Amino acid sequence: MASSWQQILALDARYNAYRTPNSPQFRTLYVKRRSQLLRENAKAGFDPLIRKQYLRQRMQLLADKYGATITLSDQSSLRSRSASTRGSFTNLSALDDPYGRSQSRQSFNQLDISGENPVPKGLTPTKNAEASRALVGDNTIGENYAFAGMHHIFDQHTKAVTSVKFANDDKSRVACCSLDGTLSVCQVLPSPATVICILKGHSDGVTDFCWSLSNDLLLSSSMDGTIRLWVVSSGKCARIMEDPNKAPVLCCTFQPINNNLVISGNSRGHAQVINVSTGKRVRGGVGKMPGSILSLACNDTGSLLWGGDDRSNLQSFIFDVTSGKLTKGKRVVVSEGHPITCLSFRAWISREASDPSLLVNCAYNSLCLYRIVNNDGEVRLRKTFSIKHRNENIRSSFCPLMSFREGACVVTGSEDMSVYFFDIERTTKPCVNKLQGHSAPVLSVSFNYDESLLASSDSDGLVIIWKRQQNAEESRQSLDQDI
């Protein structure tokens, strides 16, 4: 059982997104400082009954202050989340978002999954998105995703850049992986943009990578049959983990809450959970799919995992966070025989209403949005968007600030050398913008956390950093900061 201070910390973290919503760095520092104080006070050996009473009072005070409903029945999910903080390489900023990252399976079960719009208890959805408009003004979503041009172009890779990702809650660092067998970490702000380091060690193309929650580590997968853990500050490889089947590894990801566990997908259709400390596969941590696994995605608590293979199977797995065991959930075929090249999870579609969703790139000229309908990971198709996608491993993502906008936007690469933005709430003409500048198929896209910059990579090895056009209010704030 988790100690009282861990339960209190998990409760604080659940409300953390309400504190200074425009300053994620402060929210992270707040939780870290709370952790330090709670650890120190725990050494004094307080009466458990007093701690329990404090937890109840703290819960009530936070609910009164921020207007969100958390019942005492949620204490079991608080204990579950607090226990996860004991894992190696765990960063407290993972518990930053009360709507997603800190939402346990129990709180997920509170959703009304019988209807078209599941809603957490205590929150009332509105179609008018009044709260969102109050935060961002009266700009249309098209205006919010207008771009001023290219900020920088990187050309350090000699082959296709298979994935590009900004660091978590960071607007200046971006990393890339390439089929030339290397990864690179770049600094895009302040200007001029520079390549910080090149990570060399893989003997074949790098297929995927992932930042750790604290941004101090990178996890990479390769056609050479290995997964590597890199220390970002030094550029050195900290651990090499061979695929148990000695097969090419096509995708990888950290377990969202416990970064001491990683998940990989290989060409033999095995999704495998590996303990970073030992470098070995976890007992029971294997999930089998019919085809080669090209993409993986977890929900924000790590209790669910989805895999997509080259035969168009979309399979869910129930992930036991404590043991690392995988249990098969539900499977759907997106489009028979067409590879699923990317999966992205999002807990909330808009600020006013919960709608856990999965964004799926499938190579039949479509980007698909699925609604997650139960805690087994079962999905139902909500909407599709047309892009050119037949041969390449195209990736997409949810726009990070979409819950603060009128509408909700996703961005994707395409084989027609363009970057597309789609408003998933529109019934007609969902494309709100299209960026042209690449001379090869666009494989991967990534926003930084405040959406001021967008990175896109292509099959020729180029990475373009796009600068979003500032609206009048943002320009004024930027001028005030300069002064």
Side-chain angles (χ1 to χ4, degrees), residues 90 113 147-148 187 212 269 286 314 358 377 402-403 427 430 434 482:
T90 299
I113 60 176
F147 283 77
Q187 189 85 22
S212 68
V286 181
L314 176 57
L358 203 64
M402 66 178 183
S403 59
T427 56
K434 175 182 177 181
D482 292 338

Side-chain angles (χ1 to χ4, degrees), residues 32 76 255 359:
K32 286 182 177 179
S76 61
Q255 209 284 341
L359 191 61

Side-chain angles (χ1 to χ4, degrees), residues 32-333:
K32 286 182 177 179
R33 180 57 177 159
R34 283 286 288 168
S35 174
Q36 180 184 2
L37 292 173
L38 288 167
R39 284 173 183 267
E40 292 173 354
N41 291 335
K43 296 176 182 178
F46 287 98
D47 186 338
L49 293 178
I50 296 177
R51 282 293 190 184
K52 187 174 181 180
Q53 183 180 7
Y54 172 81
L55 180 62
R56 288 174 177 268
Q57 292 177 347
R58 179 77 174 165
M59 188 182 300
Q60 185 61 51
L61 288 171
L62 289 172
D64 291 344
K65 180 176 179 60
Y66 296 113
T69 300
I70 296 182
T71 64
L72 294 178
S73 63
D74 286 327
Q75 289 190 40
S76 61
S77 58
L78 294 178
R79 286 192 288 270
S80 173
R81 285 194 300 278
S82 62
S84 69
T85 63
R86 293 189 294 249
S88 302
F89 303 119
T90 299
N91 188 296
L92 295 174
S93 64
L95 303 174
D96 202 20
D97 186 354
Y99 301 146
R101 277 173 283 212
S102 65
Q103 196 173 25
S104 68
R105 286 181 62 187
Q106 177 170 342
S107 57
F108 182 90
N109 290 340
Q110 292 178 357
L111 301 181
D112 178 12
I113 60 176
S114 61
E116 287 297 316
N117 289 306
V119 180
K121 296 178 180 179
L123 293 172
T124 304
T126 64
K127 293 182 179 179
N128 293 329
E130 293 178 1
S132 299
R133 282 202 300 274
L135 288 170
V136 299
D138 293 326
N139 296 328
T140 66
I141 196 167
E143 291 172 333
N144 284 324
Y145 291 106
F147 283 77
M150 298 179 187
H151 176 72
H152 192 79
I153 298 177
F154 291 102
D155 61 355
Q156 65 270 18
H157 293 288
T158 59
K159 293 184 179 180
V161 174
T162 51
S163 183
V164 57
K165 295 175 184 176
F166 274 94
N168 300 307
D169 292 334
D170 190 329
K171 64 180 181 180
S172 62
R173 281 187 301 169
V174 65
C176 321
C177 67
S178 172
L179 293 182
D180 64 11
T182 67
L183 298 94
S184 60
V185 181
C186 308
Q187 189 85 22
V188 295
L189 292 174
S191 297
T194 58
V195 178
I196 300 173
C197 61
I198 303 289
L199 309 180
K200 299 180 179 180
H202 284 293
S203 60
D204 207 338
V206 183
T207 54
D208 195 12
F209 81 96
C210 184
W211 288 90
S212 68
L213 291 173
S214 55
N215 296 327
D216 56 345
L217 300 170
L218 285 178
L219 178 74
S220 63
S221 61
S222 172
M223 297 294 291
D224 65 10
T226 67
I227 309 161
R228 290 179 179 245
L229 195 69
W230 307 85
V231 179
V232 176
S233 60
S234 65
K236 294 181 179 180
C237 180
R239 183 174 291 278
I240 302 174
M241 296 164 278
E242 292 189 0
D243 181 80
N245 304 118
K246 300 188 183 302
V249 186
L250 307 177
C251 53
C252 63
T253 187
F254 281 103
Q255 209 284 341
I257 288 184
N258 182 3
N259 279 186
N260 194 45
L261 297 179
V262 300
I263 310 116
S264 66
N266 69 16
S267 62
R268 295 190 181 181
H270 291 140
Q272 304 176 105
V273 182
I274 299 173
N275 187 302
V276 172
S277 297
T278 63
K280 296 181 180 180
R281 186 170 62 191
V282 173
R283 179 178 296 182
V286 181
K288 187 70 174 68
M289 294 186 64
S292 300
I293 301 178
L294 303 179
S295 53
L296 294 167
C298 289
N299 68 344
D300 291 329
T301 60
S303 60
L304 288 174
L305 170 73
W306 292 269
D309 69 16
D310 63 353
R311 300 181 187 179
S312 208
N313 296 289
L314 176 57
Q315 175 73 57
S316 70
F317 298 92
I318 300 171
F319 195 118
D320 188 320
V321 179
T322 304
S323 66
K325 181 180 179 181
L326 293 178
T327 304
K328 273 193 175 182
K330 302 295 184 179
R331 181 171 68 94
V332 298
V333 178

Side-chain angles (χ1 to χ4, degrees), residues 414-453:
S414 174
E415 290 177 7
D416 65 359
M417 303 177 287
S418 300
V419 178
Y420 287 90
F421 297 80
F422 294 107
D423 181 356
I424 61 178
E425 300 294 344
R426 287 191 185 182
T427 56
T428 60
K429 296 182 179 180
C431 183
V432 298
N433 200 0
K434 175 182 177 181
L435 301 182
Q436 296 176 301
H438 286 276
S439 57
V442 180
L443 304 183
S444 182
V445 290
S446 176
F447 261 118
N448 62 355
Y449 83 91
D450 67 353
E451 294 186 356
S452 59
L453 296 173

Side-chain angles (χ1 to χ4, degrees), residues 354-372:
S354 175
D355 200 358
S357 299
L358 203 64
L359 191 61
V360 179
N361 284 96
C362 189
Y364 71 111
N365 291 331
S366 289
L367 174 66
C368 305
L369 181 70
Y370 282 85
R371 175 181 288 115
I372 300 166

